[in-house]
Amino acid sequence: NIVAMSHQKTRTTYDHGVMEEPVEGMNMLGVIFISITFGVIIMANKEECQPFLDFCLSLNVIINKLTRVVLWYSPIGIMFLVMAEYSVSDVSRYAKEIGLYVVTVLVGLAIHFFIVLPVILFALAKKNPLLYYKSLLPAMATAFGTASSTVTIPITMKCVKKAGVSEDVVDFVIPVGATINMDGTALYEAVACLFIAQLNDRELTNPEIVITALTATVAAIGAAGIPSAGLVTLVMVLNAVDLGTEHIALILTIDWLLDRFRTMTNVVGDAVGCAVIEQLAGSSCPRSGGAGDEEFLQLKNKEEDNNHVDHAVHVGA
C-alpha cells in the first residue's frame, strides 16, 4: 500500500514463529523503492505519463522554492530549537561530542577528497591529480563559497573543459552529476546518523548499519543542489533506522560549515567523473581544445588549410 508506507512500516519479530506487526513511522526504503520504480516506468512511457511527470516537476519546483524561503529564516529557527531542547549545561556537555562529530566528518571527506578521488582519477582516467585539481581551483572556491552544486555548474564546466575533457562529456556529465552525484552528502548523512545514535545511547546492529549506508546513498541522490539540502534527506535516513530527530538541532548549529566542505567534495567528484567517462568512451568523444589536444588541433588546422585551398581554387576558376 503506497499510502500506508508513508506513515507506517512493518516490524518482524521471532517469538515462537514469525510475527509481523505495523508500527508508526515512515517506511523510507519502501518510499525510495517505489520512487525509483515510478521513475523507471515514467521514462519508459514518457508520452503517456507526461501529465504525471509535469505534476512531479511542478511539485519539485514548489518544494525547492519553499526550502529556499525556510533557509532564510533557519538561523532564527535553529536558535530557538537549541534553546528549547538544551540548557546552557547541556550545550557545554555536548560541545565535545559536536567537536568530535565535526572532526569525523572532515576526516572522512578529506580521505575521499585527497585519496579516493585522486586514485580513481589516476587509475581510470590516466590524468595527473595535482594538475587536474589545480585546474579545478575556481570551481572549488565557488562551491565552498556558495555551498550549492547547482550554482557552481557553469564554473565547473569551464574548469573541466579547460583541463582538456571532451566538451560533449562535460555538457552531459556535470549537470547530471550536480543532481545525483552527492558523494560528500552521503558520507555526511551516514556519519550524522551514527552520531545521533550514540547521543541516544543506542548501538546500531550490523543490518541497521547496512540500511544506514544504503539509505544515505540513495537519499543523497535525491538531494537538491542547494545549501543544507542534505538535512532534509538526513531525516529520511534517521527514520529508516527508527532514530528520533530531537538531536538534529545540534547538527543544525554546525551544518552551515560542513555543508561547504561536502559541496566542494561533490563538485570535485563530478569533475573526476567527467575525466573517467571520457577515458572509458575513448576516441568517440571530440576534444574540447584543452590541455593534451595537440592531435585534435593539428587535424583541425589541416582541415582549415584544405578549405582555404579549395576556396582559392574556386575563386581562380
Side-chain angles (χ1 to χ4, degrees), residues 95-107:
K96 180 180 178 181
E97 283 79 359
I98 295 175
L100 291 175
Y101 161 71
V102 172
V103 171
T104 302
V105 173
L106 292 180
V107 169

Side-chain angles (χ1 to χ4, degrees), residues 3-317:
V3 177
M5 72 181 180
S6 63
H7 60 86
Q8 72 177 23
K9 49 190 171 182
T10 302
R11 176 180 295 168
T12 303
T13 58
Y14 300 91
D15 185 13
H16 303 291
V18 179
M19 298 179 59
E20 295 184 354
E21 55 179 356
V23 295
E24 292 296 327
M26 183 180 296
N27 185 359
M28 190 51 58
L29 290 179
V31 172
I32 294 174
F33 176 78
I34 290 295
S35 300
I36 294 175
T37 304
F38 270 43
V40 172
I41 295 175
I42 289 173
M43 295 308 297
N45 305 273
K46 196 169 183 178
E47 185 175 351
E48 295 86 348
C49 301
Q50 190 63 41
F52 183 75
L53 179 60
D54 293 337
F55 169 77
C56 293
L57 293 176
S58 301
L59 186 62
N60 181 61
V61 172
I62 294 172
I63 293 174
N64 283 336
K65 297 295 183 182
L66 289 175
T67 303
R68 289 180 180 275
V69 174
V70 171
L71 287 176
W72 276 104
Y73 296 97
S74 60
I76 301 175
I78 292 170
M79 179 183 68
F80 284 106
L81 276 174
V82 174
M83 291 175 61
E85 292 290 338
Y86 309 100
S87 63
V88 176
S89 59
D90 290 333
V91 173
S92 60
R93 180 166 61 91
Y94 286 122
K96 180 180 178 181
E97 283 79 359
I98 295 175
L100 291 175
Y101 161 71
V102 172
V103 171
T104 302
V105 173
L106 292 180
V107 169
L109 292 175
I111 293 174
H112 186 70
F113 189 90
F114 292 108
I115 298 178
V116 176
L117 290 179
V119 169
I120 294 175
L121 184 63
F122 180 78
L124 299 181
K126 313 299 182 183
K127 289 185 178 291
N128 187 326
L130 294 178
L131 297 178
Y132 197 75
Y133 271 36
K134 182 180 178 180
S135 65
L136 297 177
L137 288 178
M140 295 180 193
T142 305
F144 187 85
T146 62
S148 172
S149 301
T150 303
V151 174
T152 316
I153 286 178
I155 308 298
T156 306
M157 295 177 69
K158 181 179 179 180
C159 293
V160 177
K161 290 177 182 178
K162 185 178 179 181
V165 179
S166 167
E167 185 173 351
D168 287 349
V169 173
V170 174
D171 292 342
F172 173 75
V173 174
I174 292 298
V176 175
T179 305
I180 65 175
N181 183 34
M182 302 287 185
D183 40 2
T185 302
L187 186 149
Y188 151 81
E189 290 180 351
V191 175
C193 185
L194 295 176
F195 170 68
I196 292 179
Q198 293 175 352
L199 290 180
N200 291 329
D201 294 326
R202 177 179 167 185
E203 183 177 355
L204 297 180
T205 62
N206 290 333
E208 287 177 329
I209 293 176
V210 173
I211 291 175
T212 299
L214 292 176
T215 309
T217 302
V218 177
I221 295 175
I226 60 177
S228 299
L231 289 174
V232 179
T233 53
L234 175 59
V235 177
M236 300 165 56
V237 179
L238 295 176
N239 289 331
V241 288
D242 295 326
L243 285 173
T245 58
E246 59 270 10
H247 289 297
I248 202 171
L250 290 175
I251 295 178
L252 289 172
T253 59
I254 199 63
D255 183 73
W256 64 272
L257 177 62
L258 296 178
D259 190 21
R260 301 177 185 275
F261 286 100
R262 64 176 184 261
T263 301
M264 187 169 62
T265 304
N266 293 339
V267 169
V268 174
D270 298 340
V272 171
C274 281
V276 172
I277 290 177
E278 184 196 39
Q279 180 67 24
L280 296 178
S283 59
S284 61
C285 296
R287 309 292 294 183
S288 64
D293 291 339
E294 292 83 0
E295 183 178 355
F296 170 78
L297 294 176
Q298 290 176 1
L299 292 174
K300 184 177 180 181
N301 292 333
K302 184 177 179 180
E303 182 179 355
E304 291 178 352
D305 292 339
N306 292 334
N307 291 336
H308 288 314
V309 171
D310 294 340
H311 179 70
V313 172
H314 177 73
V315 171

